[in-house]
Amino acid sequence: MSYGASAYARVAQTALSPREAEAAVLIKAAGRLQTIQEDWQNQSGALNEALNFNQKVWTIIAGAATAPESQLPIEIKTSIAELSTFVFKRMIDTMIDPKAEKLSALININHQIAAGLRT
């Protein structure tokens, strides 16, 4: 039975649309940040790793959305660029002056964008 379940899991992973894959990665990044936020006292260096992962995710999203060949409307390209700028600034601010509450905005943004990608 477990063979069938693992085979299904592999197919499900490869059958994701690009939007679903982007949403899944955003949720993964949010989950990492949320785990750190919930256990702030014991995060022991994991914060920068989670922020770096989130930065990579947002670099890819911003790059793909704002690329000249992107077929997104200019308004959406602009909005994603502005949101990315906010995300990058918040990540840098959190690295410089770490506080658990600073992660809330990043977690929320990732969840909101992921939800939008799934609709």
Side-chain angles (χ1 to χ4, degrees):
M1 184 68 146
S2 72
Y3 176 76
S6 63
Y8 176 79
R10 283 192 305 273
V11 170
Q13 287 177 343
T14 60
L16 292 177
S17 72
R19 288 174 63 106
E20 291 168 329
E22 288 173 344
V25 173
L26 281 164
I27 294 297
K28 180 178 180 177
R32 285 182 166 187
L33 294 169
Q34 193 161 5
T35 297
I36 290 167
Q37 186 182 46
E38 290 170 355
D39 191 23
W40 186 255
Q41 299 305 318
N42 298 313
Q43 58 87 21
S44 63
L47 176 62
N48 282 346
E49 182 181 319
L51 288 170
N52 285 332
F53 180 76
N54 198 59
Q55 184 235 348
K56 289 176 186 175
V57 170
W58 275 93
T59 299
I60 291 167
I61 289 171
T66 60
E69 63 273 8
S70 171
Q71 296 187 10
L72 292 172
I74 190 68
E75 299 83 20
I76 293 178
K77 286 183 176 185
T78 302
S79 293
I80 291 173
E82 290 170 353
L83 186 57
S84 299
T85 300
F86 172 82
V87 167
F88 294 140
K89 285 180 180 179
R90 176 56 64 104
M91 286 186 295
I92 290 168
D93 180 51
T94 305
M95 287 179 176
I96 292 169
D97 183 25
K99 292 187 175 131
E101 60 272 8
K102 290 182 179 181
L103 298 178
S104 295
L106 298 173
I107 293 165
N108 190 23
I109 289 168
N110 283 8
H111 280 292
Q112 294 297 322
I113 297 299
L117 288 167
R118 288 183 171 154
T119 57

